[in-house]
Amino acid sequence: MSDQYSNEPLMEMFLFETSQLLEQLEQNILSSEKESGFSEDSINEIFRIMHTIKGSSAMMLFDNIAKLAHSIEDLFFFIRKEKPEQIDLTVLSDLVLEGVDFIKTEVEKIKGSSPADGNAENLVVTIKNLLTELKRMNAAPAAAFTPIPSGDYAYKALIHFEEGCEMENIRAYTIIHNLKELSKEIYYIPEDIIDSDESINVIRKNGFQIYLKTDRDYRKMHEFFMQTIFLKDMELLQLEDTEFAQYNKPEITPEENLTKLSIGKEVSQVEKPVRTDQLEKEPTTTNTTQSIISVGVVKLDKLMDLVGEMVIAEAMVIQNPDLKGLQLSNFTKAANQLNKITSEIQDIVMSIRMVPLSATFIKMHRIVRDMCKKLDKDVHLEIIGEETEVDKNIIEHISDPLMHLVRNSVDHGIENTQERLEKGKSKSGTITLEAKNAGSDVLIIVRDDGKGLNKEKILKKARENNLLFKNEEDMTDKEIYNLILLPGFSTKEKVTEFSGRGVGMDVVTKNIEAVGGTLSVDSVAEKGTVITLKIPLTLAIIDGMNIKVGKSRYTIPTISIKESFRPKETEIIYDPDGNEMIMVRGECYAIRRLHELYKLKTNITKFSEGIIIMVEQDEKTVCVFADELLGQQQVVVKALPHYIQSFKRIRGLAGCTLLGDGSISLILDVARMFNR
Amino acid sequence: MKRVLIVDDAAFMRMAIKNILVKHDFEVIDEAENGLVGLNKYKDLKPDLVTMDITMPEMTGLQSLKEIIAYDSNAKVVMVSAMGQEPMVMEAIQSGAKSFIVKPFKEDHVIKTLNNILNLS
């Protein structure tokens, strides 16, 4: 059945649902751990989830996943049924989490279209051993199941069912099934009771023959067979071992391929149904019409792209050079209407792509848990504002950095219990993960109450690695702390399992910057460290101010523009190095000439002819000098083509966009333009 | 066209079954994600056939089956079971399920089973 199920939506559904279930499972385990016990509900849930995963993955022919899921399912089936008391919670949750990790890895492999070839054999064995152990320990002496009999007596039974009772094969199967509790050696004719409808006729004609060995005596066995429903007649013979041996054919395990059966007209025993009170409350939970559908991300990305193209096309029409100088009042009206609709579509499409941070945040619980265990620390993770929404693409980019930050906090920030107590702090450390909206940005704050950053160590390290860009004495605390974000900085001498694997904070910084975000560090010795990520809500479309320098066009995000003005030459002041500055309302700002920075030819070099745009980003303000303002427009941010990026990294460019007349404009990232 | 209601908590399974049924000219009139919803949809829609998963939240397939049979003793319910659920299949058969299919199932088995049931008067 290899290719009948290999169709893509089904695969996508499998991956989607499995991932979701795994998340759910993980949360279940973690919260159970917190409550130091599995509630009946959570055991049921774990069982169900594993059952579902087993079914789906077997269907998709991922046998390794199915096998593992099956073993965990078995384990929880036992726990659900027997409610064993002697059970080591940590061992149990560790095992399940290990299983979750394995399946997750496999699912990732499948997503990346590589073969899911992981081997969980060891884990399966461990789980099975645990189950055996549990069964052994929790075997209630009174209700102890008779151990499988060694097989003292051999019997032959010939069974005829009542005519017209239908489903002879499944009835035969029922007998075999029940017999398994009494005997481990069973052979029967016809053998193919499950696989073949033909067997029904054979049973009807010749009866159903069973050969078995058991320690039960004749009377007991007779009693057993007589209990069969719709039994017409039955012959039971005791056999000698030698006689039995000739029927010694390979045993058939009907459970393995229970696939077909014939259908019964009558139902033998319709159990008198008991109306549960569940039914009475039915209106509350029933008939929920589907109000949510899942859509592939690819489609959403495509939609986003198209909306972007539409915005550009709209600008191309409305700002078409052919229209210059014409008075078209009707056209303008229609154009405004179009503009209104496109921006509404944009908002909607954006909002579709917004995903709450909760999933990303909740993952951190697991990381904190695992690390606390390994490092023997006591850390409590607090999550605030997880409902804050961010563009899906951005979430993918910040998940890893965030994980790294949390790891750092647990590993380097929070002290171990003893140290904390000596310092007079609370026994368990707290890491707070907070998200909130701030204008067009989202702030994500990772705060710990650990030992804080060590200024001297940072400075020493920075000196060694030549990372100091100004006088040590002149540096504010914040500037010193932010040194750790620079490439090639890592103060931890010892590399631990979790953090400081050579990839330091600079990787985190790079990842955050890749989505147009920034990162800042603040710390108070012995009080803790705060790391703030500032990430844009969305990447795709921004309001931009188009400016011109020589023949080139640039776009500055409108949100960072504070004002623009044309100063007099006399207002310009110079610092001792000859850099141009301007005083505005008592504050002094550096002026940067774009034509100098990008070496552009322009006739406008006098401040009185051009324009100065004051731009603020990340609490830094600079004045940018350009030739003229071209106007404001929504622009679709496109990444710089790969070959340009790899050819030379140009400082201060966030991307590019198309203008209404079809020309290309480069989007300036002012903050980075002037950073060293 | 025979009208089928699919009851399964796994969207994946529902999709897999639906794909097969649609291919063979069955009409999947609705789906339900647990036994309780399945039961109510059965009452609403009176499908010719129900495929019923066994392990589900809210109300298990067995319970749902029993309720459906109590409501309509002629209901044609096919259990969708997994390996290792034989006892439940047995119970289901005893409770009035007409037949069952075993996950992972093959297309022809599903179709054969369903047709078999529908051919019974």
Side-chain angles (χ1 to χ4, degrees), chain A residues 19-34:
Chain A
S19 314
Q20 247 185 1
L21 289 172
L22 288 175
E23 294 285 324
Q24 204 181 330
L25 182 60
E26 206 171 29
Q27 286 323 306
N28 180 329
I29 301 267
L30 293 184
S31 55
S32 298
E33 248 188 2
K34 245 181 226 155

Side-chain angles (χ1 to χ4, degrees), chain A residues 5 17 173 258 269 278 286, chain B residues 11 40 58 86 90 94 105:
Chain A
Y5 295 117
E17 197 169 56
Y173 168 76
L258 194 62
Q269 290 184 330
Q278 240 172 331
T286 54
Chain B
N40 287 303
E58 295 282 327
E86 283 80 359
M90 285 304 151
Q94 285 167 0
F105 42 74

Side-chain angles (χ1 to χ4, degrees), chain A residues 58-339:
Chain A
M59 209 72 175
M60 300 305 285
L61 299 179
F62 299 123
D63 289 341
N64 50 353
I65 301 181
K67 220 166 156 190
L68 176 63
H70 196 165
S71 64
I72 300 180
E73 180 196 351
D74 281 349
L75 181 63
F76 277 83
F77 180 76
F78 175 79
I79 295 173
R80 181 169 81 156
K81 211 169 124 207
E82 302 295 331
K83 304 187 177 61
E85 279 159 20
Q86 302 170 344
I87 192 161
D88 189 341
L89 272 178
T90 22
V91 173
L92 188 64
S93 45
D94 277 352
L95 268 182
V96 179
L97 287 178
E98 208 177 312
V100 168
D101 287 346
F102 174 82
I103 301 177
K104 267 191 187 166
T105 319
E106 296 305 293
V107 166
E108 281 311 311
K109 281 188 202 163
I110 299 165
K111 276 184 190 158
S113 15
S114 36
D117 50 4
N119 189 346
E121 207 51 57
N122 287 338
L123 189 56
V124 171
V125 171
T126 321
I127 292 170
K128 283 193 173 150
N129 288 344
L130 176 69
L131 180 58
T132 325
E133 183 72 358
L134 279 180
K135 279 185 179 161
R136 193 181 58 75
M137 287 196 312
N138 292 282
F145 209 76
T146 328
I148 293 197
S150 51
D152 298 321
Y153 306 105
Y155 297 100
K156 174 191 174 183
L158 179 62
I159 291 165
H160 286 272
F161 293 106
E162 278 177 29
E163 274 163 45
C165 78
E166 300 282 2
M167 259 193 292
E168 285 84 349
N169 59 345
I170 202 73
R171 293 186 192 289
Y173 168 76
T174 315
I175 298 174
I176 297 300
H177 186 85
N178 293 338
L179 262 180
K180 276 192 193 143
E181 288 172 7
L182 306 175
S183 163
K184 61 177 174 183
E185 248 188 306
I186 311 169
Y187 313 107
Y188 45 88
I189 301 169
E191 288 173 11
D192 52 353
I193 48 171
I194 306 300
D195 282 338
S196 151
D197 293 339
E198 198 47 42
S199 65
I200 296 180
N201 297 328
V202 179
I203 295 174
R204 279 181 190 160
K205 211 168 135 203
N206 303 334
F208 183 55
Q209 297 178 56
I210 306 168
Y211 298 87
L212 76 147
K213 269 190 165 183
T214 174
D215 64 346
R216 307 296 161 101
D217 60 22
Y218 185 88
R219 195 180 52 82
K220 283 233 174 79
M221 287 319 292
H222 193 268
E223 213 169 83
F224 169 85
F225 284 113
M226 290 310 283
Q227 284 169 356
T228 312
I229 312 162
F230 285 110
L231 190 70
K232 188 176 163 200
D233 58 43
M234 194 268 300
E235 285 170 41
L236 184 64
L237 292 173
Q238 196 159 349
L239 299 178
E240 297 297 17
D241 273 4
T242 44
E243 281 175 282
F244 183 77
Q246 51 186 324
Y247 301 105
N248 223 347
K249 296 175 223 150
E251 196 186 345
I252 298 125
T253 46
E255 289 189 25
E256 296 307 311
N257 46 22
L258 194 62
T259 38
K260 269 193 262 173
L261 72 168
S262 89
I263 316 314
K265 237 189 249 172
E266 304 159 73
V267 176
S268 55
Q269 290 184 330
V270 181
E271 230 175 81
K272 279 276 168 275
V274 187
R275 291 237 149 213
T276 60
D277 42 5
Q278 240 172 331
L279 267 180
E280 267 122 52
K281 339 179 238 186
E282 74 191 58
T284 51
T285 42
T286 54
N287 282 340
T288 41
T289 38
Q290 203 172 16
S291 59
I292 289 176
I293 57 164
S294 45
V295 180
V297 181
V298 185
K299 277 188 192 163
L300 277 187
D301 284 344
K302 180 86 193 160
L303 180 63
M304 190 72 232
D305 275 356
L306 282 175
V307 170
E309 295 298 329
M310 189 174 71
V311 170
I312 293 171
E314 183 204 342
M316 282 178 164
V317 173
I318 294 173
Q319 299 167 20
N320 199 297
D322 289 358
L323 300 171
K324 246 184 198 151
L326 297 178
Q327 285 292 332
L328 305 163
S329 61
N330 283 327
F331 176 82
T332 319
K333 241 192 218 162
N336 283 341
Q337 177 69 6
L338 176 64
N339 181 271

Side-chain angles (χ1 to χ4, degrees), chain A residues 556-568:
Chain A
I556 300 176
T558 313
I559 191 119
S560 53
I561 298 181
K562 288 182 83 178
E563 58 183 313
S564 59
F565 52 92
R566 178 170 287 169
K568 295 187 190 106

